[in-house]
């Protein structure tokens, strides 16, 4: 499955799956993403400030999601 997904993305066939602020359902902007990544306050305070869950703030900060 992973090989097929890489092949699909490599050949430009990944349609309808948008990442980051290109996704119309995104709750944060690219600027907010940068602010979360550079902000090392607590994940709960950061999450409240940006209207996302603490778990999502942590995933963004660790580079696991969003971009």
């Amino acid at each position: 499955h992973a090989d097929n997904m890489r092949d699909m993305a490599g050949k430009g066939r990944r349609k309808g799956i948008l990442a980051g602020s290109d996704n119309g359902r995104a709750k944060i902007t690219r600027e907010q993403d940068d602010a979360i990544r550079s902000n090392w306050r607590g994940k709960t305070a950061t999450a409240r400030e940006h209207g996302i869950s603490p778990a999502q703030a942590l995933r963004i900060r660790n580079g696991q999601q969003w971009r």
Side-chain angles (χ1 to χ4, degrees):
H1 176 67
D3 289 337
N4 287 340
M5 296 302 285
R6 275 190 296 276
D7 181 63
M8 177 183 69
K11 292 180 178 176
R13 297 182 185 144
R14 187 177 178 196
K15 295 183 181 174
I17 305 171
L18 301 175
S21 61
D22 293 333
N23 185 326
R25 297 180 70 187
K27 291 186 176 183
I28 63 171
T29 64
R30 203 172 295 275
E31 291 78 22
Q32 288 174 306
D33 172 68
D34 292 338
I36 291 168
R37 289 175 190 268
S38 64
N39 182 351
W40 286 97
R41 293 184 337 189
K43 65 182 178 196
T44 303
T46 301
R48 264 193 222 121
E49 185 179 320
H50 295 285
I52 58 175
S53 72
Q56 183 67 3
L58 187 62
R59 286 190 294 264
I60 292 168
R61 183 178 293 158
N62 291 336
Q64 295 171 330
Q65 280 194 332
W66 207 79
R67 270 194 192 181

